[in-house]
Protein backbone atom coordinates (compact mmCIF):
# COMPACT_ATOMS: atom_id res chain seq x y z
CA UNK A 1 0.00 0.00 0.00
CA UNK A 2 1.08 3.51 -0.77
CA UNK A 3 -0.41 6.58 0.86
CA UNK A 4 -0.28 10.00 -0.76
CA UNK A 5 -1.13 13.21 1.06
CA UNK A 6 -1.33 16.52 -0.76
CA UNK A 7 -1.08 20.00 0.71
CA UNK A 8 -0.45 23.57 -0.35
CA UNK A 9 -3.67 24.51 -2.08
CA UNK A 10 -5.59 27.66 -1.31
CA UNK A 11 -7.26 30.79 -2.62
CA UNK A 12 -5.02 33.09 -4.64
CA UNK A 13 -5.40 35.94 -7.09
CA UNK A 14 -4.59 35.66 -10.76
CA UNK A 15 -0.87 35.90 -11.42
CA UNK A 16 0.11 34.34 -8.09
CA UNK A 17 2.20 31.23 -7.52
CA UNK A 18 1.70 28.21 -5.31
CA UNK A 19 3.75 25.19 -4.34
CA UNK A 20 1.85 21.95 -3.87
CA UNK A 21 3.38 19.09 -1.93
CA UNK A 22 2.70 15.36 -2.04
CA UNK A 23 4.11 13.25 0.76
CA UNK A 24 4.32 9.56 -0.04
CA UNK A 25 4.49 6.73 2.48
CA UNK A 26 4.28 2.96 2.53
CA UNK A 27 6.70 0.14 1.97
CA UNK A 28 6.90 0.46 -1.79
CA UNK A 29 6.25 4.11 -2.57
CA UNK A 30 9.61 4.41 -4.32
CA UNK A 31 8.57 1.69 -6.79
CA UNK A 32 6.10 4.09 -8.41
CA UNK A 33 6.22 7.17 -10.54
CA UNK A 34 4.43 10.11 -8.94
CA UNK A 35 2.27 12.44 -10.96
CA UNK A 36 -0.02 15.41 -10.55
CA UNK A 37 -3.49 15.37 -12.02
CA UNK A 38 -6.17 18.01 -11.65
CA UNK A 39 -9.92 18.11 -11.98
CA UNK A 40 -11.72 21.36 -12.60
CA UNK A 41 -15.43 21.75 -11.75
CA UNK A 42 -17.54 19.91 -14.29
CA UNK A 43 -14.53 18.61 -16.21
CA UNK A 44 -12.61 15.35 -16.47
CA UNK A 45 -9.34 14.74 -14.71
CA UNK A 46 -6.33 16.15 -16.55
CA UNK A 47 -2.76 14.89 -16.25
CA UNK A 48 -0.16 17.61 -15.64
CA UNK A 49 3.28 16.22 -14.81
CA UNK A 50 5.14 13.18 -13.48
CA UNK A 51 8.51 12.22 -12.11
CA UNK A 52 10.36 9.21 -10.77
CA UNK A 53 12.23 9.01 -7.52
CA UNK A 54 15.56 8.24 -9.18
CA UNK A 55 17.26 10.40 -11.78
CA UNK A 56 15.97 13.58 -13.35
CA UNK A 57 13.31 12.35 -15.75
CA UNK A 58 10.21 14.49 -15.89
CA UNK A 59 7.13 14.21 -18.06
CA UNK A 60 4.78 17.09 -18.74
CA UNK A 61 1.50 17.51 -20.47
CA UNK A 62 1.44 20.37 -22.96
CA UNK A 63 -0.96 22.18 -20.63
CA UNK A 64 1.66 22.29 -17.90
CA UNK A 65 4.77 23.16 -19.90
CA UNK A 66 6.13 26.60 -19.12
CA UNK A 67 4.09 27.42 -16.00
CA UNK A 68 4.20 24.27 -13.86
CA UNK A 69 7.34 22.56 -12.56
CA UNK A 70 7.56 19.17 -10.89
CA UNK A 71 10.39 18.32 -8.51
CA UNK A 72 11.14 15.87 -5.72
CA UNK A 73 12.99 15.39 -2.48
CA UNK A 74 13.57 11.70 -1.94
CA UNK A 75 14.86 12.26 1.60
CA UNK A 76 11.45 13.71 2.47
CA UNK A 77 9.49 11.33 0.24
CA UNK A 78 7.89 14.43 -1.22
CA UNK A 79 7.03 15.48 -4.75
CA UNK A 80 6.30 19.13 -5.43
CA UNK A 81 4.38 20.94 -8.12
CA UNK A 82 5.18 24.61 -8.50
CA UNK A 83 2.39 26.57 -10.14
CA UNK A 84 3.30 29.94 -11.61
CA UNK A 85 1.18 32.75 -13.05
CA UNK A 86 -2.04 31.07 -11.97
CA UNK A 87 -5.20 31.93 -13.85
CA UNK A 88 -8.87 31.41 -13.01
CA UNK A 89 -8.99 28.44 -15.40
CA UNK A 90 -6.42 26.71 -13.17
CA UNK A 91 -9.06 26.44 -10.45
CA UNK A 92 -9.32 22.73 -9.68
CA UNK A 93 -8.66 19.99 -7.19
CA UNK A 94 -5.07 18.87 -7.65
CA UNK A 95 -4.41 15.20 -7.00
CA UNK A 96 -1.20 13.32 -6.44
CA UNK A 97 -1.11 9.86 -7.99
CA UNK A 98 1.15 6.81 -8.18
CA UNK A 99 1.65 4.80 -11.34
CA UNK A 100 3.94 2.04 -12.57
CA UNK A 101 4.00 3.59 -16.05
CA UNK A 102 5.85 6.86 -16.60
CA UNK A 103 4.10 8.20 -19.65
CA UNK A 104 0.54 6.91 -19.47
CA UNK A 105 -1.59 8.59 -16.82
CA UNK A 106 -5.05 7.55 -17.77
CA UNK A 107 -7.25 6.74 -14.77
CA UNK A 108 -7.00 3.03 -15.51
CA UNK A 109 -3.22 3.15 -15.09
CA UNK A 110 -3.13 4.99 -11.77
CA UNK A 111 -2.70 2.64 -8.83
CA UNK A 112 -2.98 5.03 -5.89
CA UNK A 113 -4.60 8.43 -5.46
CA UNK A 114 -4.34 11.11 -2.84
CA UNK A 115 -7.45 12.94 -1.66
CA UNK A 116 -6.49 16.15 -3.42
CA UNK A 117 -5.90 19.78 -2.53
CA UNK A 118 -8.12 22.59 -3.81
CA UNK A 119 -6.63 25.50 -5.70
CA UNK A 120 -8.94 28.44 -6.32
CA UNK A 121 -7.78 31.35 -8.46
CA UNK A 122 -9.76 34.57 -8.41
CA UNK A 123 -9.68 37.12 -11.21
Amino acid sequence: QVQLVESGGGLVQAGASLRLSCVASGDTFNHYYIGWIRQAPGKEREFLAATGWVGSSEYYADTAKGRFTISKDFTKATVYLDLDNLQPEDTAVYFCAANRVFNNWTAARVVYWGKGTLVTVSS
Side-chain angles (χ1 to χ4, degrees):
Q1 286 284 337
V2 173
Q3 294 79 43
L4 304 170
V5 179
E6 305 95 333
S7 62
L11 173 62
V12 297
Q13 291 188 331
S17 298
L18 278 177
R19 165 168 273 199
L20 307 183
S21 299
C22 171
V23 178
S25 61
D27 291 343
T28 60
F29 76 89
N30 59 324
H31 293 185
Y32 295 85
Y33 299 103
I34 303 298
W36 286 95
I37 295 167
R38 70 182 180 184
Q39 187 167 22
K43 295 188 177 181
E44 295 185 352
R45 292 187 178 185
E46 175 187 29
F47 167 77
L48 298 174
T51 186
W53 291 106
V54 178
S56 60
S57 294
E58 298 168 356
Y59 177 55
Y60 289 95
D62 289 341
T63 304
K65 290 178 181 177
R67 291 195 300 128
F68 298 168
T69 304
I70 194 168
S71 61
K72 60 187 179 281
D73 185 339
F74 183 74
T75 65
K76 296 180 179 179
T78 301
V79 175
Y80 304 98
L81 186 67
D82 290 307
L83 312 174
D84 293 325
N85 190 23
L86 285 162
Q87 300 300 314
E89 54 266 33
D90 295 316
T91 294
V93 177
Y94 286 70
F95 296 92
C96 181
N99 189 355
R100 292 191 178 95
V101 179
F102 187 51
N103 58 358
N104 185 335
W105 288 85
T106 57
R109 288 287 190 176
V110 172
V111 181
Y112 298 103
W113 292 92
K115 294 184 178 181
T117 186
L118 176 62
V119 173
T120 304
V121 186
S122 63
S123 57

